[in-house]
């Protein structure tokens, strides 16, 4: 994997993933930026949310779990003036007819294999979750 960041102006840059996908990162106006994109730290939270959703879908397919709606809502905090994310709580909202135990097992497997989640765990981030059936 490779990423290249090109500064454009002020605190704004374009980040590329080396596969022809890019996005703008910037600071909010209150911090001197132009608010033209998420901050790099917000992008980390977005990556976690996306990873949980993607890996859950992959694990659910292997476990033959069917669902009609899936949403991952992530709240990240920097407690006690931490320089970065210290705590993450997420809600997995799912519309399914499957048993709660099966969904819980799928989420457990997801959290053991989600690369972004594993990175956060290794960094000491406290991760908690809940499942809501919709």
């Amino acid at each position: 994997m490779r990423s290249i960041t090109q500064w454009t102006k002020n605190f704004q840059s374009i980040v590329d993933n080396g596969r022809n996908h890019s996005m703008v990162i910037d600071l909010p106006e209150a911090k001197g930026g132009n608010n033209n994109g998420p901050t790099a730290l917000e992008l980390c939270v977005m990556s976690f949310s996306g990873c949980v959703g993607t890996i859950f879908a992959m694990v659910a397919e292997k476990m033959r779990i069917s669902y009609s709606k899936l949403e991952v809502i992530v709240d990240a905090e920097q407690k006690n003036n931490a320089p970065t994310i210290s705590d993450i709580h997420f809600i997995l909202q799912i519309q399914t007819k499957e048993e709660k135990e099966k969904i819980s097992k799928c989420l457990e497997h997801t959290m053991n294999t989600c690369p972004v989640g594993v990175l956060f765990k290794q960094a000491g981030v406290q991760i908690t979750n809940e499942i809501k059936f919709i």
Side-chain angles (χ1 to χ4, degrees):
M1 268 184 262
R2 182 178 213 190
S3 177
I4 297 173
T5 300
Q6 293 181 351
W7 173 82
T8 55
K9 63 182 177 182
N10 298 334
F11 301 110
Q12 179 179 302
S13 297
I14 298 174
V15 182
D16 185 288
N17 71 346
R19 292 189 310 117
N20 299 316
H21 303 282
S22 61
M23 73 179 312
V24 172
I25 60 170
D26 197 3
L27 291 179
E29 289 177 2
K31 293 191 176 183
N34 295 314
N35 199 35
N36 288 326
T39 67
L41 194 56
E42 289 168 337
L43 192 55
C44 287
V45 176
M46 293 163 65
S47 293
F48 176 81
S49 178
C51 190
V52 170
T54 300
I55 301 301
F56 185 92
M58 292 171 69
V59 174
E61 183 177 272
K62 288 179 183 173
M63 292 178 68
R64 298 176 191 213
I65 292 173
S66 63
Y67 54 92
S68 56
K69 186 173 182 181
L70 177 69
E71 189 172 59
V72 181
I73 303 164
V74 176
D75 288 304
E77 294 185 74
Q78 292 173 260
K79 289 186 177 174
N80 303 319
N81 296 320
T84 191
I85 298 164
S86 59
D87 296 76
I88 289 177
H89 179 76
F90 73 92
I91 301 168
L92 181 96
Q93 290 190 161
I94 188 166
Q95 189 168 34
T96 184
K97 294 179 180 173
E98 304 287 350
E99 296 293 323
K100 182 177 181 175
E101 296 78 29
K102 196 169 183 181
I103 300 301
S104 294
K105 192 68 167 171
C106 184
L107 183 56
E108 181 183 329
H109 288 306
T110 296
M111 294 313 298
N112 289 332
T113 56
C114 167
V116 179
V118 170
L119 266 175
F120 279 145
K121 278 188 213 172
Q122 290 174 344
V125 175
Q126 298 299 310
I127 302 171
T128 56
N129 66 70
E130 59 187 284
I131 299 169
K132 285 191 178 176
F133 292 87
I134 52 176

